[in-house]
Amino acid sequence: MSPVSQQRFAICNCSALVDTLLESNIRPHSRSFTGATDTRPGLFEYANGGTGLLDEIGETSLPMQSKCSRDSKS
């Protein structure tokens, strides 16, 4: 019954990823940086208007938790 129930629901299992890979999944990236093979949205951009769930965020480093918190408010 929620207004966002028909919107996207994006999940990221933070405990399964190292910080650098987690950051790559949360932030959008494009071919403009070395190693990127395509352009894709980050988790929050993808779930815009819906819900982005960072599962097990407490298992990541404190600096990474801070980055995730800043990104989610953008």
Side-chain angles (χ1 to χ4, degrees), residues 38-59:
D38 60 351
T39 300
R40 65 184 183 103
L43 178 103
F44 298 116
E45 184 179 357
Y46 176 80
N48 188 19
T51 302
L53 173 66
L54 297 176
D55 192 28
E56 299 291 337
I57 189 68
E59 299 298 318

Side-chain angles (χ1 to χ4, degrees), residues 52-69:
L53 173 66
L54 297 176
D55 192 28
E56 299 291 337
I57 189 68
E59 299 298 318
T60 64
S61 67
L62 291 177
M64 190 66 218
Q65 289 179 36
S66 176
K67 286 181 183 180
C68 292
S69 175

